[in-house]
Amino acid sequence: MANAKQVSGKLEWRINVPDGTSNVLLPESDRLVNKAWLWLKGLLCGPILIIWRFLYKAWNLGVAEPKKAIHGVKLGLCLLIVSCFYYMRPLYDGVGGNAMWAVMTVVVVFESTVGATLCKCFNRAIGTFLAGSLALGVQSIAEKSGKTFQPIIIGISVFVLASVATFSRFIPSVKTRFDYGAMIFILTFSLVTVSGYRVEKLFEMASQRLSTIAIGTSLCIFITMVFCPIWAGSGLHDLIVRNLEKLADSLDGCVGEYFKDDKTKLGNEEDPSKRMQGYKCVLNSKATEEVMANLAKWEPAHGRFNFRHPWKQYPKIGTSMRKCAYCIEALNSCINSEIQAPDCLKKHLSDVCMLLSTNSSEVLKELVITMKTLTKSSKIDLLIGEMNLAVQKLQDSLNSLPDSFIGPTVSTLQAPNDANIETITKTAIPSLIEVFPLASLVYLLIEIAARTEGIADAVDQLAGLAEFKLAMDENSKQKKPTSNSTSDIQHHETMETLPKYILHEYFSR
Protein backbone atom coordinates (compact mmCIF):
# COMPACT_ATOMS: atom_id res chain seq x y z
CA MET A 1 0.00 0.00 0.00
CA ALA A 2 2.86 2.36 0.79
CA ASN A 3 4.47 1.71 -2.60
CA ALA A 4 1.11 2.31 -4.28
CA LYS A 5 0.72 5.65 -2.52
CA GLN A 6 4.24 6.69 -3.54
CA VAL A 7 3.58 5.71 -7.14
CA SER A 8 0.19 7.46 -7.20
CA GLY A 9 1.78 10.64 -5.87
CA LYS A 10 4.13 10.74 -8.85
CA LEU A 11 1.53 9.95 -11.50
CA GLU A 12 1.13 12.41 -14.38
CA TRP A 13 -2.08 12.70 -16.33
CA ARG A 14 -1.77 12.69 -20.09
CA ILE A 15 -4.37 13.49 -22.75
CA ASN A 16 -4.14 11.75 -26.08
CA VAL A 17 -5.32 13.80 -29.07
CA PRO A 18 -6.27 12.45 -32.51
CA ASP A 19 -2.96 13.46 -34.15
CA GLY A 20 -1.08 11.11 -31.91
CA THR A 21 0.56 13.71 -29.66
CA SER A 22 -0.01 14.06 -25.96
CA ASN A 23 -0.05 17.12 -23.71
CA VAL A 24 1.15 17.02 -20.14
CA LEU A 25 -1.10 18.70 -17.60
CA LEU A 26 1.25 20.67 -15.36
CA PRO A 27 0.55 21.23 -11.71
CA GLU A 28 -1.34 24.35 -10.68
CA SER A 29 1.80 26.04 -9.31
CA ASP A 30 3.72 25.60 -12.60
CA ARG A 31 0.85 27.06 -14.61
CA LEU A 32 0.73 30.12 -12.38
CA VAL A 33 4.46 30.60 -12.86
CA ASN A 34 4.10 30.38 -16.64
CA LYS A 35 1.24 32.89 -16.65
CA ALA A 36 3.24 35.27 -14.49
CA TRP A 37 6.24 34.95 -16.80
CA LEU A 38 4.14 35.60 -19.90
CA TRP A 39 2.51 38.61 -18.23
CA LEU A 40 5.90 40.02 -17.21
CA LYS A 41 7.30 39.38 -20.71
CA GLY A 42 4.36 41.18 -22.31
CA LEU A 43 4.70 44.05 -19.85
CA LEU A 44 8.37 44.55 -20.68
CA CYS A 45 8.43 43.73 -24.40
CA GLY A 46 5.04 45.23 -25.33
CA PRO A 47 6.02 48.91 -25.12
CA ILE A 48 9.34 48.21 -26.80
CA LEU A 49 7.58 46.45 -29.67
CA ILE A 50 5.08 49.30 -30.03
CA ILE A 51 7.87 51.90 -30.11
CA TRP A 52 9.80 49.83 -32.65
CA ARG A 53 6.79 49.55 -34.95
CA PHE A 54 6.16 53.29 -34.67
CA LEU A 55 9.77 54.12 -35.53
CA TYR A 56 9.69 51.69 -38.43
CA LYS A 57 6.56 53.29 -39.90
CA ALA A 58 7.98 56.77 -39.33
CA TRP A 59 11.18 55.81 -41.14
CA ASN A 60 9.25 54.42 -44.10
CA LEU A 61 7.14 57.59 -44.25
CA GLY A 62 10.24 59.77 -44.24
CA VAL A 63 11.84 57.72 -47.02
CA ALA A 64 8.66 57.75 -49.12
CA GLU A 65 7.92 61.46 -48.58
CA PRO A 66 11.10 63.32 -47.57
CA LYS A 67 9.30 66.70 -47.76
CA LYS A 68 7.50 65.89 -44.51
CA ALA A 69 10.78 65.16 -42.75
CA ILE A 70 12.26 68.39 -44.14
CA HIS A 71 9.26 70.34 -42.83
CA GLY A 72 9.83 68.95 -39.33
CA VAL A 73 13.52 69.92 -39.41
CA LYS A 74 12.68 73.45 -40.62
CA LEU A 75 10.12 73.96 -37.85
CA GLY A 76 12.63 72.78 -35.24
CA LEU A 77 15.25 75.17 -36.61
CA CYS A 78 12.79 78.07 -36.54
CA LEU A 79 11.82 77.36 -32.92
CA LEU A 80 15.47 77.08 -31.95
CA ILE A 81 16.24 80.51 -33.34
CA VAL A 82 13.19 82.21 -31.86
CA SER A 83 13.94 80.68 -28.45
CA CYS A 84 17.08 82.80 -28.33
CA PHE A 85 14.86 85.74 -27.31
CA TYR A 86 14.49 83.95 -23.99
CA TYR A 87 18.03 82.62 -23.66
CA MET A 88 19.87 85.87 -24.51
CA ARG A 89 19.42 88.67 -22.00
CA PRO A 90 19.71 91.63 -24.41
CA LEU A 91 17.01 90.18 -26.67
CA TYR A 92 14.80 89.35 -23.72
CA ASP A 93 15.06 92.89 -22.35
CA GLY A 94 14.05 94.27 -25.75
CA VAL A 95 10.75 92.38 -25.97
CA GLY A 96 10.11 91.67 -22.30
CA GLY A 97 7.92 88.79 -21.18
CA ASN A 98 6.02 88.88 -24.48
CA ALA A 99 8.76 86.83 -26.16
CA MET A 100 6.48 83.83 -25.74
CA TRP A 101 4.20 85.35 -28.42
CA ALA A 102 7.00 84.89 -30.95
CA VAL A 103 7.22 81.20 -30.08
CA MET A 104 3.45 80.81 -30.34
CA THR A 105 3.46 82.61 -33.68
CA VAL A 106 6.05 80.22 -35.11
CA VAL A 107 4.12 77.16 -33.96
CA VAL A 108 0.82 78.47 -35.38
CA VAL A 109 1.81 79.97 -38.74
CA PHE A 110 4.62 77.69 -39.91
CA GLU A 111 3.24 75.37 -42.63
CA SER A 112 4.75 72.82 -44.99
CA THR A 113 4.46 74.94 -48.17
CA VAL A 114 5.63 78.46 -48.86
CA GLY A 115 2.18 79.59 -49.94
CA ALA A 116 0.48 78.33 -46.77
CA THR A 117 3.11 79.99 -44.56
CA LEU A 118 2.86 83.31 -46.41
CA CYS A 119 -0.93 83.18 -46.22
CA LYS A 120 -0.96 82.59 -42.46
CA CYS A 121 1.78 85.13 -41.79
CA PHE A 122 -0.03 87.82 -43.76
CA ASN A 123 -3.36 87.05 -42.10
CA ARG A 124 -1.85 87.04 -38.62
CA ALA A 125 0.07 90.28 -39.15
CA ILE A 126 -2.85 92.17 -40.70
CA GLY A 127 -5.40 90.77 -38.25
CA THR A 128 -3.22 91.61 -35.25
CA PHE A 129 -2.46 95.14 -36.50
CA LEU A 130 -6.07 96.03 -37.30
CA ALA A 131 -7.42 94.51 -34.11
CA GLY A 132 -4.75 96.18 -31.97
CA SER A 133 -5.34 99.57 -33.56
CA LEU A 134 -9.10 99.37 -33.13
CA ALA A 135 -8.72 98.10 -29.56
CA LEU A 136 -6.49 101.02 -28.63
CA GLY A 137 -8.96 103.46 -30.17
CA VAL A 138 -11.93 101.93 -28.37
CA GLN A 139 -9.98 101.88 -25.12
CA SER A 140 -9.08 105.55 -25.37
CA ILE A 141 -12.72 106.48 -26.07
CA ALA A 142 -13.91 104.32 -23.18
CA GLU A 143 -11.45 105.94 -20.76
CA LYS A 144 -12.64 109.43 -21.67
CA SER A 145 -16.27 108.48 -21.11
CA GLY A 146 -15.71 107.79 -17.42
CA LYS A 147 -15.63 104.78 -15.16
CA THR A 148 -19.36 104.21 -15.44
CA PHE A 149 -19.60 103.93 -19.21
CA GLN A 150 -16.14 102.41 -19.81
CA PRO A 151 -17.13 98.71 -19.40
CA ILE A 152 -20.36 99.32 -21.34
CA ILE A 153 -18.52 100.78 -24.36
CA ILE A 154 -15.92 98.00 -24.28
CA GLY A 155 -18.58 95.29 -24.05
CA ILE A 156 -20.66 96.73 -26.91
CA SER A 157 -17.57 97.08 -29.13
CA VAL A 158 -16.52 93.50 -28.46
CA PHE A 159 -20.02 92.26 -29.24
CA VAL A 160 -20.42 94.23 -32.48
CA LEU A 161 -16.96 93.67 -33.97
CA ALA A 162 -16.82 89.99 -32.97
CA SER A 163 -20.25 89.39 -34.51
CA VAL A 164 -19.35 91.19 -37.76
CA ALA A 165 -15.98 89.44 -38.05
CA THR A 166 -17.53 86.04 -37.39
CA PHE A 167 -20.23 86.64 -40.01
CA SER A 168 -17.58 87.69 -42.54
CA ARG A 169 -15.97 84.26 -42.25
CA PHE A 170 -19.02 82.78 -44.02
CA ILE A 171 -18.50 84.96 -47.10
CA PRO A 172 -16.86 82.69 -49.73
CA SER A 173 -14.20 85.18 -50.84
CA VAL A 174 -13.22 85.96 -47.24
CA LYS A 175 -13.33 82.34 -46.14
CA THR A 176 -11.04 81.28 -48.99
CA ARG A 177 -8.19 83.68 -48.30
CA PHE A 178 -8.77 85.57 -45.02
CA ASP A 179 -10.51 83.11 -42.70
CA TYR A 180 -7.48 82.80 -40.43
CA GLY A 181 -7.05 86.59 -40.34
CA ALA A 182 -10.66 87.09 -39.25
CA MET A 183 -10.17 84.61 -36.41
CA ILE A 184 -6.97 86.37 -35.28
CA PHE A 185 -8.78 89.70 -35.45
CA ILE A 186 -11.47 88.45 -33.07
CA LEU A 187 -8.92 86.95 -30.68
CA THR A 188 -6.60 89.97 -30.58
CA PHE A 189 -9.34 92.57 -30.28
CA SER A 190 -11.00 90.68 -27.43
CA LEU A 191 -7.73 90.17 -25.54
CA VAL A 192 -6.54 93.76 -25.89
CA THR A 193 -9.84 95.43 -25.02
CA VAL A 194 -10.65 93.14 -22.09
CA SER A 195 -7.14 93.17 -20.63
CA GLY A 196 -6.87 96.93 -21.18
CA TYR A 197 -9.57 97.46 -18.60
CA ARG A 198 -7.13 96.35 -15.87
CA VAL A 199 -3.73 97.06 -17.45
CA GLU A 200 -2.32 100.58 -17.20
CA LYS A 201 0.43 100.46 -19.87
CA LEU A 202 -1.79 99.11 -22.62
CA PHE A 203 0.03 100.78 -25.52
CA GLU A 204 3.39 99.38 -24.42
CA MET A 205 1.95 95.87 -24.08
CA ALA A 206 0.30 96.05 -27.52
CA SER A 207 3.45 97.32 -29.21
CA GLN A 208 5.57 94.56 -27.64
CA ARG A 209 3.14 91.86 -28.75
CA LEU A 210 3.01 93.29 -32.25
CA SER A 211 6.81 93.37 -32.44
CA THR A 212 7.14 89.76 -31.26
CA ILE A 213 4.54 88.62 -33.79
CA ALA A 214 6.44 90.49 -36.51
CA ILE A 215 9.65 88.75 -35.45
CA GLY A 216 7.99 85.31 -35.53
CA THR A 217 6.34 85.80 -38.93
CA SER A 218 9.50 87.25 -40.49
CA LEU A 219 11.56 84.33 -39.24
CA CYS A 220 9.01 81.80 -40.57
CA ILE A 221 9.01 83.45 -44.01
CA PHE A 222 12.80 83.48 -44.12
CA ILE A 223 13.20 79.84 -43.08
CA THR A 224 10.47 78.47 -45.37
CA MET A 225 11.75 80.32 -48.46
CA VAL A 226 15.50 79.87 -48.01
CA PHE A 227 15.93 76.36 -46.62
CA CYS A 228 14.60 73.69 -49.01
CA PRO A 229 11.44 75.58 -50.02
CA ILE A 230 8.35 73.51 -50.80
CA TRP A 231 6.17 75.41 -53.29
CA ALA A 232 2.44 74.82 -53.45
CA GLY A 233 2.40 75.93 -57.10
CA SER A 234 4.92 73.32 -58.18
CA GLY A 235 3.02 70.67 -56.24
CA LEU A 236 -0.23 71.65 -57.95
CA HIS A 237 1.40 71.54 -61.38
CA ASP A 238 2.90 68.10 -60.72
CA LEU A 239 -0.46 66.85 -59.42
CA ILE A 240 -2.22 67.83 -62.65
CA VAL A 241 0.48 66.14 -64.72
CA ARG A 242 0.24 62.90 -62.72
CA ASN A 243 -3.55 62.89 -63.00
CA LEU A 244 -3.34 63.29 -66.78
CA GLU A 245 -0.99 60.31 -66.98
CA LYS A 246 -3.25 58.19 -64.77
CA LEU A 247 -6.27 59.17 -66.85
CA ALA A 248 -4.61 58.01 -70.07
CA ASP A 249 -3.45 54.74 -68.48
CA SER A 250 -6.92 54.04 -67.05
CA LEU A 251 -8.56 54.56 -70.44
CA ASP A 252 -6.16 52.19 -72.18
CA GLY A 253 -6.43 49.65 -69.39
CA CYS A 254 -10.24 49.58 -69.26
CA VAL A 255 -10.75 49.24 -73.02
CA GLY A 256 -7.94 46.71 -73.32
CA GLU A 257 -9.41 44.62 -70.51
CA TYR A 258 -12.88 44.72 -72.07
CA PHE A 259 -11.62 43.44 -75.41
CA LYS A 260 -8.87 41.30 -73.78
CA ASP A 261 -6.05 43.11 -75.55
CA ASP A 262 -2.73 42.13 -73.95
CA LYS A 263 -0.79 44.66 -76.00
CA THR A 264 -2.09 47.55 -73.90
CA LYS A 265 -0.63 46.25 -70.65
CA LEU A 266 2.40 47.96 -69.21
CA GLY A 267 5.49 45.82 -69.13
CA ASN A 268 6.80 47.17 -65.82
CA GLU A 269 3.53 46.83 -63.91
CA GLU A 270 2.82 43.70 -61.94
CA ASP A 271 -0.87 44.35 -61.23
CA PRO A 272 -2.82 45.71 -64.24
CA SER A 273 -5.76 46.57 -61.97
CA LYS A 274 -3.75 49.42 -60.46
CA ARG A 275 -3.42 50.91 -63.90
CA MET A 276 -7.18 50.69 -64.47
CA GLN A 277 -7.98 52.29 -61.10
CA GLY A 278 -5.88 55.39 -61.70
CA TYR A 279 -8.95 57.48 -62.50
CA LYS A 280 -9.95 57.31 -58.82
CA CYS A 281 -7.03 59.59 -57.94
CA VAL A 282 -8.48 62.15 -60.36
CA LEU A 283 -11.91 61.92 -58.74
CA ASN A 284 -10.49 62.36 -55.22
CA SER A 285 -8.18 65.31 -55.92
CA LYS A 286 -10.73 68.14 -56.14
CA ALA A 287 -10.22 69.47 -52.61
CA THR A 288 -6.44 69.24 -52.88
CA GLU A 289 -6.41 71.14 -56.17
CA GLU A 290 -8.56 73.96 -54.83
CA VAL A 291 -6.51 74.36 -51.65
CA MET A 292 -3.18 74.30 -53.48
CA ALA A 293 -4.44 76.76 -56.11
CA ASN A 294 -5.47 79.23 -53.37
CA LEU A 295 -2.11 78.87 -51.64
CA ALA A 296 -0.13 79.20 -54.87
CA LYS A 297 -1.57 82.70 -55.37
CA TRP A 298 0.40 83.88 -52.33
CA GLU A 299 3.74 82.66 -53.61
CA PRO A 300 6.27 84.80 -55.49
CA ALA A 301 7.84 83.80 -58.79
CA HIS A 302 9.73 80.53 -58.46
CA GLY A 303 11.26 78.05 -60.87
CA ARG A 304 9.50 78.13 -64.23
CA PHE A 305 6.47 80.02 -62.90
CA ASN A 306 6.14 83.79 -63.04
CA PHE A 307 4.62 85.98 -60.36
CA ARG A 308 1.33 86.35 -62.26
CA HIS A 309 1.03 82.70 -63.25
CA PRO A 310 -2.66 81.78 -63.81
CA TRP A 311 -3.07 79.33 -60.96
CA LYS A 312 -6.86 79.72 -61.08
CA GLN A 313 -6.85 77.84 -64.41
CA TYR A 314 -5.56 74.62 -62.81
CA PRO A 315 -8.82 73.79 -60.97
CA LYS A 316 -10.63 74.23 -64.30
CA ILE A 317 -8.33 71.64 -65.86
CA GLY A 318 -9.01 69.38 -62.89
CA THR A 319 -12.76 69.80 -63.38
CA SER A 320 -12.44 68.80 -67.04
CA MET A 321 -10.41 65.74 -66.05
CA ARG A 322 -12.99 64.68 -63.49
CA LYS A 323 -15.73 64.84 -66.12
CA CYS A 324 -13.66 62.43 -68.20
CA ALA A 325 -12.88 60.28 -65.16
CA TYR A 326 -16.59 59.80 -64.44
CA CYS A 327 -17.03 58.33 -67.92
CA ILE A 328 -14.03 56.04 -67.39
CA GLU A 329 -15.58 54.90 -64.11
CA ALA A 330 -18.77 54.00 -65.99
CA LEU A 331 -16.62 52.32 -68.62
CA ASN A 332 -14.94 50.27 -65.93
CA SER A 333 -18.34 49.07 -64.73
CA CYS A 334 -18.97 47.60 -68.18
CA ILE A 335 -16.09 45.18 -67.59
CA ASN A 336 -17.62 43.84 -64.37
CA SER A 337 -21.17 43.76 -65.70
CA GLU A 338 -22.98 40.44 -65.46
CA ILE A 339 -24.58 40.94 -68.89
CA GLN A 340 -21.96 40.87 -71.62
CA ALA A 341 -22.28 41.30 -75.36
CA PRO A 342 -21.68 38.27 -77.61
CA ASP A 343 -18.15 37.70 -78.83
CA CYS A 344 -19.21 38.23 -82.44
CA LEU A 345 -20.41 41.75 -81.61
CA LYS A 346 -17.25 42.52 -79.66
CA LYS A 347 -15.08 41.28 -82.50
CA HIS A 348 -16.96 43.47 -84.98
CA LEU A 349 -16.29 46.66 -82.96
CA SER A 350 -13.04 45.81 -81.19
CA ASP A 351 -10.71 47.40 -83.75
CA VAL A 352 -12.53 50.74 -84.00
CA CYS A 353 -13.02 50.90 -80.22
CA MET A 354 -9.35 50.25 -79.62
CA LEU A 355 -8.48 52.85 -82.26
CA LEU A 356 -10.60 55.51 -80.56
CA SER A 357 -9.21 54.60 -77.14
CA THR A 358 -5.64 54.83 -78.44
CA ASN A 359 -6.25 58.18 -80.11
CA SER A 360 -7.88 59.61 -76.99
CA SER A 361 -5.03 58.44 -74.77
CA GLU A 362 -2.49 59.89 -77.23
CA VAL A 363 -4.19 63.27 -76.89
CA LEU A 364 -3.94 63.02 -73.10
CA LYS A 365 -0.29 61.99 -73.28
CA GLU A 366 0.46 64.92 -75.58
CA LEU A 367 -1.17 67.20 -73.01
CA VAL A 368 1.14 65.67 -70.40
CA ILE A 369 4.14 66.70 -72.51
CA THR A 370 2.65 70.18 -72.88
CA MET A 371 2.30 70.56 -69.12
CA LYS A 372 5.73 69.15 -68.35
CA THR A 373 7.60 71.33 -70.84
CA LEU A 374 5.33 74.40 -70.54
CA THR A 375 5.21 74.65 -74.32
CA LYS A 376 2.40 74.63 -76.85
CA SER A 377 2.18 71.37 -78.76
CA SER A 378 2.57 71.55 -82.52
CA LYS A 379 0.61 68.37 -83.19
CA ILE A 380 -2.26 68.47 -80.72
CA ASP A 381 -4.68 69.66 -83.42
CA LEU A 382 -3.68 66.74 -85.63
CA LEU A 383 -4.20 64.25 -82.79
CA ILE A 384 -7.63 65.71 -82.00
CA GLY A 385 -8.53 65.43 -85.71
CA GLU A 386 -7.51 61.76 -85.75
CA MET A 387 -9.57 61.20 -82.60
CA ASN A 388 -12.64 62.75 -84.25
CA LEU A 389 -12.11 60.58 -87.34
CA ALA A 390 -12.01 57.54 -85.06
CA VAL A 391 -15.32 58.67 -83.57
CA GLN A 392 -16.83 58.79 -87.05
CA LYS A 393 -15.51 55.30 -87.87
CA LEU A 394 -16.96 53.94 -84.64
CA GLN A 395 -20.35 55.42 -85.41
CA ASP A 396 -20.28 53.91 -88.92
CA SER A 397 -19.36 50.50 -87.53
CA LEU A 398 -22.16 50.68 -84.96
CA ASN A 399 -24.69 51.62 -87.65
CA SER A 400 -23.56 48.67 -89.77
CA LEU A 401 -24.40 46.13 -87.08
CA PRO A 402 -27.87 45.24 -88.49
CA ASP A 403 -26.49 44.76 -92.00
CA SER A 404 -23.71 42.54 -90.70
CA PHE A 405 -25.78 40.25 -88.50
CA ILE A 406 -29.19 40.26 -90.20
CA GLY A 407 -28.09 39.77 -93.79
CA PRO A 408 -29.87 37.34 -96.22
CA THR A 409 -28.53 33.86 -96.83
CA VAL A 410 -29.26 31.96 -100.10
CA SER A 411 -29.53 28.17 -99.95
CA THR A 412 -30.23 25.65 -102.77
CA LEU A 413 -32.54 22.65 -102.43
CA GLN A 414 -32.64 19.64 -104.79
CA ALA A 415 -36.16 18.89 -106.03
CA PRO A 416 -37.31 15.35 -107.09
CA ASN A 417 -37.41 16.36 -110.76
CA ASP A 418 -33.74 17.43 -110.62
CA ALA A 419 -34.75 21.13 -110.47
CA ASN A 420 -32.89 23.41 -108.14
CA ILE A 421 -35.03 25.53 -105.78
CA GLU A 422 -33.42 28.53 -104.08
CA THR A 423 -34.64 29.63 -100.68
CA ILE A 424 -33.74 32.79 -98.80
CA THR A 425 -33.23 32.65 -95.05
CA LYS A 426 -31.95 35.16 -92.48
CA THR A 427 -29.55 34.84 -89.62
CA ALA A 428 -30.70 35.20 -86.04
CA ILE A 429 -31.35 38.74 -84.87
CA PRO A 430 -29.34 39.71 -81.76
CA SER A 431 -31.57 40.64 -78.84
CA LEU A 432 -31.61 44.13 -77.35
CA ILE A 433 -30.06 42.86 -74.13
CA GLU A 434 -27.07 41.55 -76.08
CA VAL A 435 -26.55 44.76 -78.05
CA PHE A 436 -27.16 47.21 -75.20
CA PRO A 437 -23.89 46.59 -73.20
CA LEU A 438 -21.75 47.14 -76.25
CA ALA A 439 -23.79 50.16 -77.32
CA SER A 440 -23.25 51.64 -73.84
CA LEU A 441 -19.51 51.15 -74.17
CA VAL A 442 -19.53 52.81 -77.60
CA TYR A 443 -21.46 55.78 -76.23
CA LEU A 444 -19.02 56.13 -73.33
CA LEU A 445 -16.03 56.06 -75.67
CA ILE A 446 -17.56 58.79 -77.81
CA GLU A 447 -18.33 60.83 -74.70
CA ILE A 448 -14.77 60.32 -73.41
CA ALA A 449 -13.43 61.62 -76.73
CA ALA A 450 -15.59 64.75 -76.40
CA ARG A 451 -14.48 65.34 -72.81
CA THR A 452 -10.86 64.72 -73.76
CA GLU A 453 -11.21 67.57 -76.21
CA GLY A 454 -12.56 69.65 -73.32
CA ILE A 455 -9.38 68.92 -71.35
CA ALA A 456 -7.34 70.00 -74.36
CA ASP A 457 -9.28 73.28 -74.51
CA ALA A 458 -8.64 73.93 -70.80
CA VAL A 459 -4.92 73.26 -71.21
CA ASP A 460 -4.87 75.50 -74.29
CA GLN A 461 -6.41 78.32 -72.24
CA LEU A 462 -3.69 77.85 -69.63
CA ALA A 463 -1.04 77.94 -72.34
CA GLY A 464 -2.49 81.21 -73.65
CA LEU A 465 -2.73 82.86 -70.22
CA ALA A 466 0.75 81.70 -69.15
CA GLU A 467 2.23 82.53 -72.58
CA PHE A 468 3.69 79.12 -73.32
CA LYS A 469 6.17 79.05 -76.17
CA LEU A 470 5.47 76.97 -79.26
CA ALA A 471 7.25 73.61 -79.22
CA MET A 472 9.22 72.78 -82.37
CA ASP A 473 9.63 69.16 -83.35
CA GLU A 474 12.77 67.77 -85.01
CA ASN A 475 11.40 67.94 -88.55
CA SER A 476 10.39 71.57 -88.19
CA LYS A 477 13.77 72.42 -86.71
CA GLN A 478 15.60 70.91 -89.68
CA LYS A 479 13.35 72.42 -92.33
CA LYS A 480 10.86 75.15 -91.55
CA PRO A 481 7.89 74.88 -93.94
CA THR A 482 6.67 77.91 -95.85
CA SER A 483 3.29 79.29 -94.87
CA ASN A 484 2.09 79.77 -98.46
CA SER A 485 2.76 76.25 -99.73
CA THR A 486 -0.13 74.37 -101.30
CA SER A 487 0.10 71.38 -98.95
CA ASP A 488 -0.01 73.60 -95.85
CA ILE A 489 -3.03 75.48 -97.17
CA GLN A 490 -4.84 72.23 -97.93
CA HIS A 491 -3.96 70.81 -94.51
CA HIS A 492 -5.18 73.99 -92.82
CA GLU A 493 -8.46 73.89 -94.72
CA THR A 494 -8.89 70.22 -93.87
CA MET A 495 -8.31 70.81 -90.14
CA GLU A 496 -10.85 73.63 -90.18
CA THR A 497 -13.57 71.76 -92.05
CA LEU A 498 -13.03 68.37 -90.37
CA PRO A 499 -14.67 69.18 -86.99
CA LYS A 500 -17.61 70.85 -88.74
CA TYR A 501 -18.12 67.78 -90.96
CA ILE A 502 -17.97 65.40 -88.03
CA LEU A 503 -20.40 67.46 -85.95
CA HIS A 504 -22.79 67.66 -88.89
CA GLU A 505 -22.65 63.90 -89.44
CA TYR A 506 -22.95 63.16 -85.72
CA PHE A 507 -26.06 65.25 -85.12
CA SER A 508 -27.68 64.31 -88.45
CA ARG A 509 -27.71 60.69 -87.37
Side-chain angles (χ1 to χ4, degrees):
M1 294 293 295
N3 293 333
K5 291 181 180 180
Q6 292 177 358
V7 172
S8 61
K10 297 180 180 180
L11 288 178
E12 292 183 354
W13 291 91
R14 295 178 179 269
I15 300 176
N16 294 325
V17 294
D19 59 354
T21 60
S22 60
N23 296 328
V24 178
L25 293 179
L26 299 176
E28 187 69 21
S29 58
D30 294 340
R31 283 187 291 174
L32 292 176
V33 172
N34 290 336
K35 288 182 179 180
W37 167 248
L38 292 176
W39 178 81
L40 183 61
K41 184 178 179 181
L43 182 63
L44 297 176
C45 298
I48 298 175
L49 184 60
I50 293 174
I51 295 173
W52 173 256
R53 289 177 179 175
F54 173 78
L55 295 176
Y56 180 76
K57 292 180 180 179
W59 176 263
N60 291 335
L61 179 62
V63 172
E65 300 182 20
K67 292 182 179 180
K68 296 182 178 180
I70 294 174
H71 171 65
V73 174
K74 289 164 62 176
L75 178 59
L77 177 63
C78 195
L79 285 175
L80 175 62
I81 296 175
V82 79
S83 299
C84 295
F85 286 91
Y86 261 99
Y87 301 147
M88 298 182 179
R89 192 67 186 180
L91 297 177
Y92 181 80
D93 294 338
V95 296
N98 292 313
M100 183 58 66
W101 284 91
V103 178
M104 293 176 60
T105 300
V106 170
V107 174
V108 172
V109 305
F110 198 90
E111 295 290 339
S112 58
T113 61
V114 176
T117 303
L118 289 175
C119 178
K120 278 200 167 184
C121 289
F122 178 82
N123 277 270
R124 187 171 183 84
I126 297 299
T128 303
F129 177 77
L130 292 178
S133 301
L134 287 175
L136 291 176
V138 170
Q139 187 66 29
S140 62
I141 295 173
E143 288 179 354
K144 294 179 181 179
S145 61
K147 293 293 184 180
T148 304
F149 295 98
Q150 183 178 3
I152 298 175
I153 294 175
I154 293 176
I156 293 175
S157 64
V158 170
F159 171 76
V160 172
L161 291 177
S163 301
V164 172
T166 302
F167 176 76
S168 67
R169 297 179 66 186
F170 294 100
I171 301 174
S173 58
V174 176
K175 185 176 181 61
T176 302
R177 306 189 68 177
F178 305 107
D179 182 73
Y180 181 70
M183 183 182 66
I184 293 299
F185 176 87
I186 298 171
L187 176 63
T188 304
F189 183 82
S190 302
L191 289 177
V192 174
T193 52
V194 173
S195 61
Y197 184 73
R198 301 291 183 183
V199 177
E200 296 181 357
K201 298 180 179 180
L202 181 62
F203 181 79
E204 182 180 356
M205 180 191 69
S207 61
Q208 286 181 351
R209 289 186 179 180
L210 186 62
S211 61
T212 53
I213 290 174
I215 292 171
T217 54
S218 302
L219 184 60
C220 289
I221 293 173
F222 177 78
I223 294 294
T224 191
M225 294 184 65
V226 173
F227 297 95
C228 300
I230 302 173
W231 304 97
S234 299
L236 175 62
H237 187 84
D238 295 338
L239 176 63
I240 295 295
V241 172
R242 290 195 303 269
N243 286 345
L244 281 172
E245 293 176 342
K246 292 177 181 179
L247 208 61
D249 291 339
S250 297
L251 178 58
D252 283 339
C254 290
V255 179
E257 179 68 19
Y258 185 81
F259 293 103
K260 302 300 181 181
D261 185 11
D262 296 334
K263 295 180 180 179
T264 59
K265 294 182 180 180
L266 293 176
N268 57 354
E269 188 175 15
E270 297 180 358
D271 190 3
S273 61
K274 294 182 180 179
R275 179 189 183 191
M276 296 169 54
Q277 302 297 324
Y279 67 89
K280 293 184 178 180
C281 298
V282 182
L283 297 177
N284 298 329
S285 62
K286 179 181 179 180
T288 304
E289 292 171 2
E290 292 178 351
V291 171
M292 296 180 74
N294 291 327
L295 296 178
K297 297 176 183 178
W298 295 90
E299 296 178 345
H302 59 278
R304 301 177 296 169
F305 309 106
N306 299 324
F307 181 73
R308 302 293 297 177
H309 192 76
W311 298 112
K312 62 181 180 180
Q313 185 64 25
Y314 284 82
K316 296 181 181 179
I317 299 175
T319 302
S320 301
M321 288 193 298
R322 276 185 291 277
K323 291 180 180 178
C324 186
Y326 286 128
C327 290
I328 296 178
E329 184 178 26
L331 190 67
N332 187 35
S333 64
C334 295
I335 301 174
N336 303 321
S337 178
E338 296 181 359
I339 302 175
Q340 295 290 334
D343 294 336
C344 57
L345 295 179
K346 285 186 178 181
K347 185 177 181 181
H348 179 74
L349 296 177
S350 62
D351 293 337
V352 286
C353 288
M354 292 299 302
L355 177 62
L356 179 56
S357 172
T358 302
N359 290 336
S360 300
S361 63
E362 286 180 357
V363 172
L364 293 174
K365 292 174 182 177
E366 186 64 24
L367 295 177
V368 171
I369 297 175
T370 299
M371 295 293 294
K372 283 184 177 180
T373 59
L374 298 181
T375 56
K376 292 183 179 180
S377 175
S378 58
K379 57 181 180 179
I380 188 65
D381 293 333
L382 180 61
L383 293 175
I384 292 176
E386 292 178 352
M387 181 180 66
N388 291 331
L389 282 177
V391 170
Q392 183 63 32
K393 291 180 181 179
L394 182 56
Q395 290 176 349
D396 294 339
S397 299
L398 184 63
N399 292 333
S400 65
L401 279 178
D403 298 335
S404 301
F405 294 92
I406 318 176
T409 302
V410 179
S411 59
T412 304
L413 297 177
Q414 186 70 28
N417 55 358
D418 297 333
N420 294 330
I421 300 175
E422 293 183 354
T423 60
I424 300 176
T425 59
K426 291 185 177 180
T427 58
I429 301 176
S431 62
L432 181 61
I433 297 179
E434 294 176 342
V435 177
F436 182 76
L438 193 59
S440 300
L441 181 131
V442 170
Y443 166 76
L444 290 172
L445 286 177
I446 295 174
E447 187 67 20
I448 288 172
R451 298 189 179 188
T452 300
E453 193 169 355
I455 299 174
D457 293 338
V459 174
D460 184 67
Q461 292 178 6
L462 174 64
L465 294 173
E467 298 180 355
F468 288 178
K469 296 181 180 180
L470 182 62
M472 302 294 291
D473 54 6
E474 296 180 357
N475 294 329
S476 60
K477 289 180 181 178
Q478 295 175 0
K479 182 179 179 181
K480 186 177 180 180
T482 58
S483 59
N484 57 353
S485 61
T486 305
S487 60
D488 291 340
I489 294 175
Q490 293 177 352
H491 175 71
H492 180 71
E493 292 177 353
T494 302
M495 295 308 298
E496 286 186 349
T497 57
L498 180 60
K500 297 179 181 179
Y501 169 76
I502 292 174
L503 289 176
H504 174 72
E505 291 293 328
Y506 178 75
F507 288 107
S508 63
R509 294 180 182 274

